[in-house]
Amino acid sequence: MIQIKPLIIAHRGASFDRPENSFAAFKLAYDQGAEGIETDVHLSKDNVPVLIHDHTVNRVTSQKGLIKQFTFKELKQLDIGSWFDPIYHTERIMSLVDFLQWAEPSQLMINLELKTNKVNYPEVEAIVYQSVEELKMLDRVVFSSFNHLSLEKLSQLNPNTYRALLAKRHSSRLIKLSQQLNLTGIHLKQRAINLITTKKYHQFNQYVGAYTVNQPNDLRRCLRAKCDMIITDRPGLTIEKKELFLNQKDDKF
Ligand code: G3P
Ligand code: MG
């Protein structure tokens, strides 16, 4: 029997094998059969939502500076692939809209992480929401953030959006907050995942995602804990191991 759950989501694309948040990483994730892609959103100086993890360009380009100090045109000139391997020197930062348009014909689920915990991007929630809404992709997008205020703003824009809070550890405060914000789910650091914790969210009909699950042993623990979503840098390996683990008899699994 084919078991769909838990969903395998490629973290920053297939970022173990390709430069993170690049088209090459997104394409490989799709080719490997990932059910979804997680990516990180910041705003350029001219308010274009762009996909990059850090709030600066320092780590993945040869330049220095905050994302919000560059216009989109300037950002597009930067090479985001060579730091990983010079063969990826043609990779360029993607706009959210270009990414969504690429993903639209597929079945991919999209997890947009709003990076609003370090830099203040006025109106980023509304700008990102509008991009998704215009492409009629709201039913395929989960918005996540470490900053619960961003999720609150999204809820005000549209209470039917799928929203998940990111957290490094579980706490009773987190359970309360996730109910107050009427969240769809929670994305917990994989170390914090266990059956007792997932049950707490499931009883309120909230799903539990785990990030970032790259090792088979951690995957097995998250599967045993009835996790609903696995966010991984290695979608190919994770899909293969998931099938293997779920098809094993209980005593081995
Ligand atoms: O969304 C899961 C994960 O991406 C959160 O942490 O730092 O990798 O964006 P980070
Ligand atoms: Mg992220």
Side-chain angles (χ1 to χ4, degrees), residues 160-245:
N160 297 320
T161 45
Y162 301 136
R163 303 175 307 278
L165 188 61
L166 276 155
K168 294 200 165 130
R169 58 189 71 84
H170 165 71
S171 66
S172 48
R173 184 189 152 269
L174 203 60
I175 291 259
K176 277 196 201 109
L177 189 60
S178 66
Q179 286 169 64
Q180 277 163 14
L181 297 175
N182 198 20
L183 297 179
T184 323
I186 187 102
H187 293 183
L188 285 173
K189 198 172 173 117
Q190 56 93 5
R191 284 266 152 232
I193 301 281
N194 57 56
L195 196 53
I196 296 168
T197 302
T198 53
K199 272 185 180 164
K200 286 187 177 148
Y201 291 94
H202 287 167
Q203 81 187 33
F204 295 109
N205 275 334
Q206 287 164 330
Y207 81 87
V208 178
Y211 73 91
T212 308
V213 185
N214 289 334
Q215 301 305 327
N217 279 346
D218 291 327
L219 173 66
R220 189 179 350 228
R221 184 170 41 77
C222 291
L223 293 175
R224 282 175 173 158
K226 308 271 184 249
C227 222
D228 307 287
M229 176 192 285
I230 302 289
I231 303 174
T232 176
D233 297 339
R234 310 170 81 177
L237 176 79
T238 304
I239 290 164
E240 183 191 315
K241 295 289 179 192
K242 179 185 96 166
E243 281 164 18
L244 185 76
F245 291 152

Side-chain angles (χ1 to χ4, degrees), residues 85-183:
D85 187 315
I87 63 169
Y88 298 112
H89 68 96
T90 58
E91 293 299 325
R92 294 291 178 268
I93 197 164
M94 281 185 93
S95 70
L96 171 65
V97 169
D98 284 349
F99 170 71
L100 290 175
Q101 283 175 340
W102 166 75
E104 199 275 332
S106 73
Q107 303 283 313
L108 285 167
M109 182 275 224
I110 306 297
N111 173 200
L112 299 178
E113 182 188 344
L114 301 185
K115 286 289 188 194
T116 49
N117 45 336
K118 284 195 179 142
V119 171
N120 179 30
Y121 296 114
E123 299 300 319
V124 63
E125 297 82 6
I127 293 168
V128 170
Y129 172 81
Q130 200 182 347
S131 302
V132 178
E133 205 265 333
E134 276 173 11
L135 288 166
K136 304 201 181 332
M137 290 176 75
L138 282 171
D139 58 343
R140 292 164 53 181
V141 170
V142 174
F143 299 92
S144 66
S145 184
F146 283 103
N147 182 348
H148 72 274
L149 297 175
S150 282
L151 301 177
E152 216 170 324
K153 285 181 191 166
L154 281 161
S155 168
Q156 283 158 9
L157 288 161
N158 180 346
N160 297 320
T161 45
Y162 301 136
R163 303 175 307 278
L165 188 61
L166 276 155
K168 294 200 165 130
R169 58 189 71 84
H170 165 71
S171 66
S172 48
R173 184 189 152 269
L174 203 60
I175 291 259
K176 277 196 201 109
L177 189 60
S178 66
Q179 286 169 64
Q180 277 163 14
L181 297 175
N182 198 20
L183 297 179

Side-chain angles (χ1 to χ4, degrees), residues 11 38 40 53 113 115:
H11 181 239
E38 185 266 1
D40 310 289
H53 180 269
E113 182 188 344
K115 286 289 188 194

